[in-house]
Amino acid sequence: MDLESLLFGDEDWRFLLSAFVRSVIMFIVILIGLRLLGKRGIHQLSVFELGVIIGLGSAAGDPMFYKNVGILPAIVVFTVVIALYRLVTFLITKSDRIETLLEGRPAYILKDGIILETFKDQPLGHDEFFATLRQSQVSHLGQVETVIIEADGNLSVFFCPDEKVQPGLPILPAELDRCSDNVTIEGTYSCVHCGFTEELMPSSGFRCRQCGHDKCVAAAVGKRIV
Ligand SMILES: [Zn+2]
């Protein structure tokens, strides 16, 4: 392998100074561009905004280290993309349909401790969902009244007041591992797939009345401790 081409590519060391100046200029352009986008941080970017950021990232990065890519075309790209972004965000405030198309819309995924059918339409697995709830000190689904997945993918969790906590599906990893497809002693059991909870007598071959899944686990009853 040729060390010089590994280090410098097609350029020689004199391009390093040029790359330094290009990077400083493009960094300033990026900062100005992000200020003009009007976002305060990268939290809660919608898919549409993420697309804009990726496009700008490519336009900003190339002139930093490609000798044959000039700075002015990149600034034109920045100006056009930011102007379009401002135009589209203006249209979004005027039309619900455009907003839904570009940003998505919030959806209920859990109600009264039961995971709704809409859950499977979301880009969210059970593991990730339970992990997010655990970070809010939820140990079983009976402690949760409602979960909404927002347009940006974040979960909004509304808890049951202590006196309304019902037995529900435990979501601590060790407890979920104890799931079974039959019931050996009478008690309250939750479906591990949807969280539906009911009193069951000993039987073999569990089948959830809500979703048809075939694994259940003893329901948990504790209140949420914050
Ligand atoms: Zn179920």
Side-chain angles (χ1 to χ4, degrees):
M1 196 192 303
D2 177 1
L3 183 64
E4 192 171 317
S5 78
L6 180 72
L7 292 176
F8 294 103
D10 290 336
E11 315 301 338
D12 60 27
W13 62 270
R14 279 168 301 201
F15 183 66
L16 296 182
L17 178 64
S18 172
F20 176 79
V21 175
R22 286 158 171 262
S23 300
V24 170
I25 294 172
M26 286 316 297
F27 184 70
I28 293 167
V29 172
I30 293 167
L31 290 185
I32 295 171
L34 291 181
R35 275 314 276 148
L36 290 175
L37 279 183
K39 300 298 290 183
R40 289 180 177 276
I42 56 162
H43 291 293
Q44 306 192 335
L45 282 187
S46 67
V47 174
F48 162 60
E49 289 163 345
L50 196 61
V52 171
I53 298 285
I54 291 171
L56 290 182
S58 172
D62 288 0
M64 289 184 187
F65 58 91
Y66 286 128
K67 199 176 192 175
N68 57 349
V69 178
I71 281 178
L72 282 181
I75 292 178
V76 170
V77 171
F78 258 70
T79 311
V80 171
V81 170
I82 290 169
L84 286 174
Y85 174 82
R86 300 297 290 248
L87 174 70
V88 173
T89 45
F90 171 76
L91 292 176
I92 282 174
T93 62
K94 297 283 165 205
S95 158
D96 283 349
R97 274 184 60 191
I98 295 179
E99 182 176 8
T100 306
L101 196 66
L102 290 171
E103 310 255 87
R105 63 174 0 154
Y108 284 88
I109 53 173
L110 181 144
K111 202 120 184 56
D112 299 325
I114 296 173
I115 299 169
L116 303 175
E117 277 282 292
T118 46
F119 182 85
K120 67 176 186 326
D121 302 330
Q122 307 299 328
L124 181 70
H126 277 74
D127 288 353
E128 195 185 351
F129 179 48
F130 293 160
T132 308
L133 290 178
R134 288 196 293 269
Q135 285 165 4
S136 302
Q137 284 74 45
V138 172
S139 61
H140 69 84
L141 297 187
Q143 299 165 336
V144 185
E145 190 174 69
T146 307
V147 179
I148 295 171
I149 185 164
E150 302 293 349
D152 58 17
N154 282 325
L155 299 182
S156 299
V157 184
F158 298 88
F159 308 106
C160 289
D162 280 355
E163 65 276 13
K164 287 194 177 163
V165 169
Q166 302 285 328
L169 174 66
I171 57 170
L172 303 185
E175 295 182 52
L176 271 179
D177 289 345
R178 284 205 289 268
C179 69
S180 164
D181 50 11
N182 55 52
V183 175
T184 48
I185 48 169
E186 181 184 347
T188 312
Y189 290 84
S190 299
C191 164
V192 297
H193 189 71
C194 72
F196 181 72
T197 300
E198 61 183 330
E199 300 288 330
L200 291 175
M201 301 300 280
S203 68
S204 60
F206 168 79
R207 191 151 295 271
C208 172
R209 284 203 285 133
Q210 189 83 13
C211 75
H213 200 75
D214 61 0
K215 291 254 186 320
C216 65
V217 67
V221 290
K223 300 197 182 349
R224 183 170 156 264
I225 314 277
V226 191

